[in-house]
Amino acid sequence: MSLWADIERSIAEATAAPFHIESRTPVGGGCINAAFRVAGSGRAYFVKTSAPHTADAFAAEAAGLAEIARSQTVRVPQPVCHGSNSEAGWLALEFIDFGSARRDSSGALGQALAAMHRVTAPRFGWQRDNAIGATPQPNTPCEDWAEFWREHRLGFQLALAEHNGAPKSLLAKGERLLRDFPALLAGCGVEAALLHGDLWGGNAGFDRAGTPVIYDPAVYYGHREADLAMTELFGGFNRDFYAAYREAFPLAVGYDVRKQLYNLYHILNHYNLFGGGYARQAETTIECLLAEI
Ligand code: ADP
């Protein structure tokens, strides 16, 4: 069976309606996978494909989208089905017609994110592991946020960095930070909030009605400041977004320091994925954090 015949069948089974592909148009903009608008039988889906071994990452992405959809706080593409054969893995989602922001769209995104962050769980982590970019992301449930961030976020990426030959000075400072960073969390009242987990500008947009949409998540329950910090790392979110978020869910004192602690995770991940100047950026960030303790 060819890949597209299997995808066709997988969509037909999941939707309990016959589905025959009439057109398949590449969609640009992704970082990792090939993506297509697949249309036929009077409907359309967004389908990502990748190597067969990525099937588990697609299953995790579908589960993450379903978790956010259940919160009924922000629009996400509804997952349809996922699977794999010897050729490839695939993930089919509701196709969203993206448009541009209206006057109040960015504020609506800020409010929607705040509402999502009001959804909490008894423990940090999640029911399953997933991926951050192409890197595995462990979500082993944990009662304590500092322990979770140490073990499953910074410590995990620092161990990978060591494996990838990171500079000794970076690793030594990273060790000190792993020991001392809980001082930065004192008094900020961390709750296990539903997070997108990979909220850079490329993973948020607006549909034709101007309604905010977020996608391509790396869901877990954690400190909401981690999501907000990431929006600042690569830019793409405007003042209306931040004003609306803070009005709906004010931030505790010390966010400006803690956001560096949270973005360090993504900087280390970029080092582990792409190498180069990210080692220097990670080390400088660690130095700034150590100076705050
Ligand atoms: P990758 O996993 O490769 O990073 P993304 O999930 O970010 O891929 O999707 C790539 C691009 O496809 C996005 O930037 C967006 O423009 C578009 N896109 C994502 N999800 C949908 C969807 N459900 N419907 C239509 N277009 C989508």
Side-chain angles (χ1 to χ4, degrees):
M1 273 295 227
S2 85
L3 173 64
W4 289 100
D6 278 357
I7 292 175
E8 198 173 67
R9 210 182 38 206
S10 155
I11 291 174
E13 275 172 20
T15 57
F19 183 64
H20 299 292
I21 298 176
E22 288 151 25
S23 69
R24 196 171 77 218
T25 319
V27 177
C31 291
I32 296 181
N33 308 294
F36 304 87
R37 179 181 188 276
V38 174
S41 309
R43 45 203 215 275
Y45 299 96
F46 177 75
V47 177
K48 296 205 267 194
T49 62
S50 198
H53 71 268
T54 57
D56 197 50
F58 280 156
E61 184 175 339
L65 288 169
E67 186 90 5
I68 297 176
R70 260 196 304 279
S71 77
Q72 297 189 327
T73 52
V74 56
R75 185 172 187 198
V76 289
Q78 292 283 348
V80 175
C81 58
H82 55 86
S84 65
N85 66 13
S86 57
E87 256 178 85
W90 65 83
L91 171 67
L93 308 176
E94 167 193 11
F95 188 88
I96 292 185
D97 271 317
F98 283 97
S100 42
R102 305 265 174 97
R103 196 178 45 80
D104 52 357
S105 294
S106 291
L109 177 58
Q111 277 175 357
L113 187 69
M116 190 179 92
H117 288 166
R118 297 262 184 208
V119 177
T120 57
R123 290 187 294 171
F124 300 98
W126 198 32
Q127 70 207 13
R128 60 167 302 152
D129 296 343
N130 47 19
I132 182 77
T135 309
Q137 175 166 271
N139 292 321
T140 315
C142 185
E143 306 278 339
D144 183 76
W145 173 243
E147 187 184 327
F148 182 85
W149 196 254
R150 178 187 290 123
E151 290 296 315
H152 304 303
R153 293 294 181 265
L154 290 188
F156 184 82
Q157 291 284 348
L158 281 165
L160 267 182
E162 184 171 16
H163 178 79
N164 289 331
K168 291 246 170 339
S169 55
L170 162 61
L171 298 170
K173 287 170 195 163
E175 276 301 313
R176 273 178 53 206
L177 186 69
L178 282 186
R179 191 189 62 206
D180 295 343
F181 82 81
L184 298 172
L185 301 175
C188 69
V190 183
E191 283 205 88
L194 175 58
L195 303 187
H196 176 284
D198 192 9
L199 196 54
W200 67 291
N203 285 345
F206 305 96
D207 66 17
R208 282 276 162 89
T211 304
V213 186
I214 58 176
Y215 48 91
D216 203 11
V219 161
Y220 65 102
Y221 285 82
H223 192 188
R224 64 192 174 99
E225 291 179 355
D227 256 0
L228 215 57
M230 192 174 186
T231 65
E232 294 193 50
L233 186 57
F234 303 110
F237 296 81
N238 66 19
R239 289 165 61 152
D240 289 353
F241 165 81
Y242 293 108
Y245 182 94
R246 283 173 183 257
E247 195 186 327
F249 205 166
L251 291 169
V253 174
Y255 164 71
D256 284 331
V257 174
R258 288 189 298 275
K259 75 182 178 194
Q260 297 193 63
L261 179 71
Y262 295 140
N263 282 338
L264 177 60
Y265 173 62
H266 298 291
I267 297 166
L268 286 169
N269 188 41
H270 274 64
Y271 169 72
N272 286 316
L273 290 170
F274 311 118
Y278 291 110
R280 187 65 233 148
Q281 193 183 349
E283 192 165 337
T284 306
T285 305
I286 294 172
E287 285 163 3
C288 290
L289 286 163
L290 289 172
E292 294 287 340
I293 295 171

mmCIF file of all heavy atoms in Angstrom, residues 27-33 35 46 48 61 77 93-98 202-203 215-216, ligand 1:
data_model
loop_
_atom_site.group_PDB
_atom_site.id
_atom_site.type_symbol
_atom_site.label_atom_id
_atom_site.label_comp_id
_atom_site.label_asym_id
_atom_site.label_seq_id
_atom_site.Cartn_x
_atom_site.Cartn_y
_atom_site.Cartn_z
ATOM 1 N N VAL A 27 2.073 22.732 2.182
ATOM 2 C CA VAL A 27 1.905 23.929 3.015
ATOM 3 C C VAL A 27 3.274 24.236 3.594
ATOM 4 O O VAL A 27 3.884 23.370 4.218
ATOM 5 C CB VAL A 27 0.904 23.665 4.172
ATOM 6 C CG1 VAL A 27 0.784 24.888 5.078
ATOM 7 C CG2 VAL A 27 -0.459 23.279 3.630
ATOM 8 N N GLY A 28 3.746 25.460 3.408
ATOM 9 C CA GLY A 28 5.084 25.832 3.904
ATOM 10 C C GLY A 28 5.027 26.305 5.335
ATOM 11 O O GLY A 28 3.969 26.373 5.944
ATOM 12 N N GLY A 29 6.196 26.595 5.889
ATOM 13 C CA GLY A 29 6.239 27.271 7.196
ATOM 14 C C GLY A 29 6.638 26.401 8.362
ATOM 15 O O GLY A 29 6.979 26.911 9.417
ATOM 16 N N GLY A 30 6.608 25.085 8.207
ATOM 17 C CA GLY A 30 6.971 24.219 9.332
ATOM 18 C C GLY A 30 8.478 24.096 9.475
ATOM 19 O O GLY A 30 9.231 24.427 8.556
ATOM 20 N N CYS A 31 8.897 23.613 10.623
ATOM 21 C CA CYS A 31 10.336 23.489 10.871
ATOM 22 C C CYS A 31 10.809 22.076 10.642
ATOM 23 O O CYS A 31 11.979 21.838 10.349
ATOM 24 C CB CYS A 31 10.638 23.840 12.318
ATOM 25 S SG CYS A 31 10.407 25.555 12.652
ATOM 26 N N ILE A 32 9.940 21.105 10.811
ATOM 27 C CA ILE A 32 10.419 19.737 10.957
ATOM 28 C C ILE A 32 9.849 18.797 9.913
ATOM 29 O O ILE A 32 10.567 17.987 9.334
ATOM 30 C CB ILE A 32 10.065 19.224 12.379
ATOM 31 C CG1 ILE A 32 10.821 20.072 13.400
ATOM 32 C CG2 ILE A 32 10.403 17.756 12.541
ATOM 33 C CD1 ILE A 32 10.611 19.681 14.815
ATOM 34 N N ASN A 33 8.564 18.903 9.665
ATOM 35 C CA ASN A 33 7.881 17.894 8.858
ATOM 36 C C ASN A 33 7.447 18.447 7.501
ATOM 37 O O ASN A 33 7.400 19.647 7.298
ATOM 38 C CB ASN A 33 6.633 17.414 9.608
ATOM 39 C CG ASN A 33 6.964 16.985 11.024
ATOM 40 O OD1 ASN A 33 7.673 16.005 11.203
ATOM 41 N ND2 ASN A 33 6.485 17.710 12.013
ATOM 42 N N ALA A 35 4.314 19.150 5.126
ATOM 43 C CA ALA A 35 2.919 19.417 5.467
ATOM 44 C C ALA A 35 2.101 19.679 4.202
ATOM 45 O O ALA A 35 2.613 20.257 3.240
ATOM 46 C CB ALA A 35 2.830 20.623 6.405
ATOM 47 N N PHE A 46 -5.369 18.980 7.217
ATOM 48 C CA PHE A 46 -3.962 19.354 7.247
ATOM 49 C C PHE A 46 -3.201 18.086 7.640
ATOM 50 O O PHE A 46 -3.489 17.492 8.683
ATOM 51 C CB PHE A 46 -3.760 20.466 8.286
ATOM 52 C CG PHE A 46 -2.331 20.888 8.468
ATOM 53 C CD1 PHE A 46 -1.698 21.670 7.512
ATOM 54 C CD2 PHE A 46 -1.616 20.509 9.597
ATOM 55 C CE1 PHE A 46 -0.376 22.083 7.678
ATOM 56 C CE2 PHE A 46 -0.305 20.920 9.768
ATOM 57 C CZ PHE A 46 0.323 21.695 8.816
ATOM 58 N N LYS A 48 0.551 16.233 8.201
ATOM 59 C CA LYS A 48 2.014 16.289 8.303
ATOM 60 C C LYS A 48 2.550 14.875 8.144
ATOM 61 O O LYS A 48 1.951 13.915 8.656
ATOM 62 C CB LYS A 48 2.449 16.797 9.684
ATOM 63 C CG LYS A 48 2.027 18.205 9.978
ATOM 64 C CD LYS A 48 2.941 18.860 11.009
ATOM 65 C CE LYS A 48 2.440 18.723 12.411
ATOM 66 N NZ LYS A 48 3.149 19.621 13.350
ATOM 67 N N GLU A 61 1.685 14.645 19.817
ATOM 68 C CA GLU A 61 1.168 15.954 19.368
ATOM 69 C C GLU A 61 -0.363 15.927 19.316
ATOM 70 O O GLU A 61 -1.023 16.868 19.756
ATOM 71 C CB GLU A 61 1.749 16.308 17.991
ATOM 72 C CG GLU A 61 1.315 17.693 17.535
ATOM 73 C CD GLU A 61 1.985 18.133 16.224
ATOM 74 O OE1 GLU A 61 3.047 17.581 15.873
ATOM 75 O OE2 GLU A 61 1.427 19.019 15.561
ATOM 76 N N PRO A 77 -6.228 23.232 16.122
ATOM 77 C CA PRO A 77 -6.760 22.299 15.130
ATOM 78 C C PRO A 77 -7.148 20.993 15.810
ATOM 79 O O PRO A 77 -6.363 20.443 16.590
ATOM 80 C CB PRO A 77 -5.594 22.089 14.157
ATOM 81 C CG PRO A 77 -4.432 22.831 14.691
ATOM 82 C CD PRO A 77 -4.830 23.574 15.923
ATOM 83 N N LEU A 93 -4.975 16.629 10.807
ATOM 84 C CA LEU A 93 -5.685 17.574 11.674
ATOM 85 C C LEU A 93 -6.766 18.283 10.879
ATOM 86 O O LEU A 93 -6.703 18.326 9.638
ATOM 87 C CB LEU A 93 -4.723 18.657 12.189
ATOM 88 C CG LEU A 93 -3.424 18.211 12.856
ATOM 89 C CD1 LEU A 93 -2.574 19.434 13.203
ATOM 90 C CD2 LEU A 93 -3.723 17.411 14.116
ATOM 91 N N GLU A 94 -7.705 18.845 11.597
ATOM 92 C CA GLU A 94 -8.647 19.772 10.975
ATOM 93 C C GLU A 94 -7.840 20.811 10.191
ATOM 94 O O GLU A 94 -6.823 21.318 10.688
ATOM 95 C CB GLU A 94 -9.430 20.462 12.104
ATOM 96 C CG GLU A 94 -10.224 21.663 11.702
ATOM 97 C CD GLU A 94 -10.693 22.466 12.928
ATOM 98 O OE1 GLU A 94 -10.228 22.213 14.056
ATOM 99 O OE2 GLU A 94 -11.541 23.341 12.736
ATOM 100 N N PHE A 95 -8.248 21.143 8.965
ATOM 101 C CA PHE A 95 -7.553 22.194 8.220
ATOM 102 C C PHE A 95 -8.095 23.539 8.658
ATOM 103 O O PHE A 95 -9.305 23.752 8.692
ATOM 104 C CB PHE A 95 -7.729 22.036 6.700
ATOM 105 C CG PHE A 95 -6.863 23.009 5.953
ATOM 106 C CD1 PHE A 95 -5.553 22.673 5.624
ATOM 107 C CD2 PHE A 95 -7.327 24.268 5.621
ATOM 108 C CE1 PHE A 95 -4.728 23.586 4.976
ATOM 109 C CE2 PHE A 95 -6.501 25.185 4.970
ATOM 110 C CZ PHE A 95 -5.200 24.839 4.649
ATOM 111 N N ILE A 96 -7.200 24.442 9.011
ATOM 112 C CA ILE A 96 -7.619 25.786 9.418
ATOM 113 C C ILE A 96 -7.219 26.781 8.340
ATOM 114 O O ILE A 96 -6.051 26.816 7.920
ATOM 115 C CB ILE A 96 -7.002 26.151 10.786
ATOM 116 C CG1 ILE A 96 -7.638 25.242 11.847
ATOM 117 C CG2 ILE A 96 -7.239 27.624 11.100
ATOM 118 C CD1 ILE A 96 -7.267 25.502 13.261
ATOM 119 N N ASP A 97 -8.191 27.573 7.897
ATOM 120 C CA ASP A 97 -7.899 28.654 6.947
ATOM 121 C C ASP A 97 -7.351 29.820 7.738
ATOM 122 O O ASP A 97 -8.098 30.503 8.427
ATOM 123 C CB ASP A 97 -9.198 29.093 6.243
ATOM 124 C CG ASP A 97 -9.438 28.280 4.993
ATOM 125 O OD1 ASP A 97 -8.473 28.064 4.247
ATOM 126 O OD2 ASP A 97 -10.600 27.883 4.784
ATOM 127 N N PHE A 98 -6.042 30.025 7.651
ATOM 128 C CA PHE A 98 -5.459 31.127 8.399
ATOM 129 C C PHE A 98 -5.724 32.448 7.693
ATOM 130 O O PHE A 98 -5.753 32.517 6.461
ATOM 131 C CB PHE A 98 -3.955 30.899 8.600
ATOM 132 C CG PHE A 98 -3.682 29.894 9.692
ATOM 133 C CD1 PHE A 98 -3.425 28.561 9.393
ATOM 134 C CD2 PHE A 98 -3.730 30.277 11.021
ATOM 135 C CE1 PHE A 98 -3.216 27.637 10.397
ATOM 136 C CE2 PHE A 98 -3.516 29.359 12.035
ATOM 137 C CZ PHE A 98 -3.255 28.026 11.721
ATOM 138 N N GLY A 202 5.876 31.256 15.479
ATOM 139 C CA GLY A 202 5.511 30.354 14.388
ATOM 140 C C GLY A 202 4.452 29.333 14.762
ATOM 141 O O GLY A 202 3.958 28.603 13.896
ATOM 142 N N ASN A 203 4.089 29.249 16.038
ATOM 143 C CA ASN A 203 3.087 28.271 16.470
ATOM 144 C C ASN A 203 1.785 28.925 16.937
ATOM 145 O O ASN A 203 0.998 28.315 17.667
ATOM 146 C CB ASN A 203 3.649 27.365 17.566
ATOM 147 C CG ASN A 203 4.629 26.334 17.006
ATOM 148 O OD1 ASN A 203 4.677 26.121 15.799
ATOM 149 N ND2 ASN A 203 5.394 25.704 17.874
ATOM 150 N N TYR A 215 -0.949 26.012 17.782
ATOM 151 C CA TYR A 215 -0.776 24.660 17.241
ATOM 152 C C TYR A 215 0.645 24.197 17.483
ATOM 153 O O TYR A 215 1.458 24.913 18.058
ATOM 154 C CB TYR A 215 -1.147 24.626 15.748
ATOM 155 C CG TYR A 215 -0.538 25.729 14.922
ATOM 156 C CD1 TYR A 215 0.692 25.573 14.298
ATOM 157 C CD2 TYR A 215 -1.206 26.949 14.792
ATOM 158 C CE1 TYR A 215 1.255 26.607 13.557
ATOM 159 C CE2 TYR A 215 -0.652 27.983 14.052
ATOM 160 C CZ TYR A 215 0.577 27.802 13.442
ATOM 161 O OH TYR A 215 1.139 28.836 12.721
ATOM 162 N N ASP A 216 0.924 22.968 17.045
ATOM 163 C CA ASP A 216 2.250 22.353 17.184
ATOM 164 C C ASP A 216 2.765 22.428 18.628
ATOM 165 O O ASP A 216 3.883 22.876 18.874
ATOM 166 C CB ASP A 216 3.227 23.063 16.224
ATOM 167 C CG ASP A 216 4.412 22.174 15.875
ATOM 168 O OD1 ASP A 216 4.379 20.976 16.190
ATOM 169 O OD2 ASP A 216 5.385 22.697 15.295
HETATM 170 P P1 ADP B 1 6.147 21.469 11.992
HETATM 171 O O1 ADP B 1 5.732 20.368 12.902
HETATM 172 O O2 ADP B 1 6.885 20.984 10.794
HETATM 173 O O3 ADP B 1 6.864 22.615 12.693
HETATM 174 P P2 ADP B 1 3.658 23.022 12.017
HETATM 175 O O4 ADP B 1 2.684 22.229 12.805
HETATM 176 O O5 ADP B 1 4.295 24.189 12.701
HETATM 177 O O6 ADP B 1 4.784 22.072 11.373
HETATM 178 O O7 ADP B 1 2.893 23.504 10.693
HETATM 179 C C1 ADP B 1 3.584 24.098 9.612
HETATM 180 C C2 ADP B 1 2.769 25.271 9.051
HETATM 181 O O8 ADP B 1 1.538 24.799 8.555
HETATM 182 C C3 ADP B 1 2.400 26.291 10.114
HETATM 183 O O9 ADP B 1 3.344 27.315 10.208
HETATM 184 C C4 ADP B 1 1.058 26.808 9.656
HETATM 185 O O10 ADP B 1 1.243 27.902 8.769
HETATM 186 C C5 ADP B 1 0.455 25.662 8.876
HETATM 187 N N1 ADP B 1 -0.521 24.902 9.676
HETATM 188 C C6 ADP B 1 -0.309 24.279 10.868
HETATM 189 N N2 ADP B 1 -1.413 23.644 11.284
HETATM 190 C C7 ADP B 1 -2.356 23.861 10.332
HETATM 191 C C8 ADP B 1 -3.731 23.474 10.201
HETATM 192 N N3 ADP B 1 -4.338 22.704 11.103
HETATM 193 N N4 ADP B 1 -4.394 23.898 9.105
HETATM 194 C C9 ADP B 1 -3.780 24.651 8.161
HETATM 195 N N5 ADP B 1 -2.500 25.056 8.234
HETATM 196 C C10 ADP B 1 -1.791 24.671 9.303
#
